[in-house]
Amino acid sequence: MSRIVIPGELPTLNEYIRKERGNKFAAAKLKHGWTNYCATYCKIAQNRSQTGIWTNEQMDLNLHWFTKNKKKDKDNIRFAIKFIQDGMMQAGLIPNDSWQQIGDYHDTFSVDKHNPRVEIELKAHDQKERKL
């Protein structure tokens, strides 16, 4: 199983919608910036890996979302998967985020007020595991 850790809280769907309604360029800027942020941490994970992260196998994503508190709805938090998957593509971990590369999602939510983050475990859909 391969693992990526993205520190901090990513934008929620509500935050993105507010930007989009205010100015379409602001929403595009937000998406671009957060995609780059996620891509950076995908590259860090790949560089730390001794075996590499595969790119052609279908993968399940186990996402553990750690937030500062319980003020945001889980579905709003989970919206950030868009930035994560686009960051994975930008970092070269996957060729695209279609059904061919992305299998199932499994989400877990916890509170860590001192260290909000997203921990992503990538597991080959055919149950073969590789260490990161």
Side-chain angles (χ1 to χ4, degrees):
M1 208 174 289
S2 299
R3 188 166 170 244
I4 302 165
V5 177
I6 301 173
E9 290 186 318
L10 302 176
T12 64
L13 177 58
N14 287 342
E15 292 165 346
Y16 182 79
I17 289 171
R18 272 195 297 279
K19 290 280 187 185
E20 195 172 46
R21 287 181 179 166
N23 180 326
K24 66 180 178 181
F25 299 110
K29 184 177 178 180
L30 180 139
K31 183 184 179 302
H32 179 74
W34 284 102
T35 297
N36 287 341
Y37 182 80
C38 292
T40 298
Y41 286 97
C42 289
K43 289 176 188 175
I44 289 169
Q46 191 165 29
N47 289 338
R48 288 185 180 161
S49 171
Q50 294 178 354
T51 59
I53 298 175
W54 62 89
T55 59
N56 292 322
E57 298 178 56
Q58 188 181 53
M59 296 180 284
D60 290 341
L61 277 64
N62 298 321
L63 300 114
H64 196 157
W65 307 86
F66 293 88
T67 61
K68 291 180 184 179
N69 53 48
K70 294 182 178 180
K71 290 182 180 179
K72 298 173 183 173
D73 294 338
K74 292 177 182 180
D75 60 335
N76 265 322
I77 295 165
R78 193 182 183 288
F79 165 75
I81 188 67
K82 181 65 180 158
F83 306 125
I84 293 169
Q85 285 185 181
D86 288 351
M88 290 170 66
M89 287 187 338
Q90 186 174 313
L93 300 185
I94 56 176
N96 61 58
D97 56 0
S98 70
W99 287 50
Q100 291 178 335
Q101 271 67 49
I102 305 298
D104 296 324
Y105 299 103
H106 306 279
D107 295 290
T108 306
F109 297 86
S110 299
V111 173
D112 186 342
K113 66 181 181 177
H114 300 294
N115 186 20
R117 65 196 179 279
V118 183
E119 294 181 1
I120 304 126
E121 291 181 342
L122 310 171
K123 186 175 181 182
H125 196 255
D126 65 4
Q127 304 302 316
K128 293 179 187 173
E129 293 186 11
R130 290 183 62 181
K131 284 240 182 208
L132 177 66

